[in-house]
Amino acid sequence: MRLYLIGMPGAGKTTLGRALATAYQVPFFDLDTEIVRRERRSITDIFAAEGEAYFREQEAAMLREVVQAQPEMVLATGGGTPCFHQNLDILLSTGLTLYLEVPLDELVQRLQRSAANRPLLAQLSDPAALAVRMHETFATRQQFYERAPLRTPPTNSVEAVRRLIDRYQTTS
């Protein structure tokens, strides 16, 4: 099994991904963590020193390396991963892609606590500005996310997601 989790920042891709990897007894990878490991610096530092274009190139390269090296895994992608360098095509053609669909208001609440650690959100000082940015970001990314063959149920529980995946695999 290769399962890829996509969705907006704060959707819970890493948390759910770890739990699903444990449930399916396959390795778990977080694409951002893999980039940090290779670059030996934080995502924030990469953005500050090199810019988003450089980060997106590294992200695409790392995605391809992980996919080539891992026949079985659960992979939590970055929020923008499917939107650049034909990454979504790689995800759709090499595994099962699951979109973690979380209401934007809930994402804004979650991200208020961690926005300072996210390079594309760090400069947003108040909840209203964060909400505007999240709505703008979602508007550009939604077309990519919605190409995933699966979307999480509202609960995002491991059991509910496993049932969704199992039903999909038996009918495909």
Side-chain angles (χ1 to χ4, degrees), residues 65 72 142:
E65 285 179 32
E72 293 188 320
Q142 181 178 11

Side-chain angles (χ1 to χ4, degrees), residues 36-67:
V36 166
R37 183 184 52 74
R38 172 192 281 161
E39 291 278 323
R40 296 187 184 127
R41 54 187 170 159
S42 71
I43 301 294
T44 301
D45 289 345
I46 296 168
F47 267 76
E50 313 294 341
E52 184 177 3
Y54 173 86
F55 173 79
R56 296 299 177 193
E57 290 169 7
Q58 299 311 304
E59 179 181 58
M62 181 58 71
L63 173 64
R64 284 154 179 78
E65 285 179 32
V66 171
V67 167

Side-chain angles (χ1 to χ4, degrees), residues 8 14 16 20 35 40 44 49 67 74 77-78 82 89 95 103 108-109 114 125 131 135 141 152 155 171-172:
M8 288 288 286
T14 299
L16 181 60
L20 288 169
I35 295 166
R40 296 187 184 127
T44 301
V67 167
V74 174
T77 66
D89 293 335
V108 170
Q109 285 183 330
S114 66
S125 58
H135 282 272
R141 293 180 178 179
T152 57
T155 62
T171 60
S172 295

Side-chain angles (χ1 to χ4, degrees), residues 117-150:
N117 300 324
R118 296 172 183 265
L120 296 177
L121 303 176
Q123 72 281 9
L124 304 173
S125 58
D126 66 78
L130 179 60
V132 168
R133 173 62 62 81
M134 292 300 289
H135 282 272
E136 292 169 350
T137 301
F138 180 71
T140 63
R141 293 180 178 179
Q142 181 178 11
Q143 64 182 316
F144 297 96
Y145 296 155
E146 290 185 348
R147 287 183 54 203
L150 288 176

Side-chain angles (χ1 to χ4, degrees), residues 92-106:
L92 293 173
S93 66
T94 61
L96 180 57
T97 305
L98 174 67
Y99 166 33
L100 277 65
E101 189 173 31
V102 178
L104 285 175
D105 292 342
E106 186 175 333

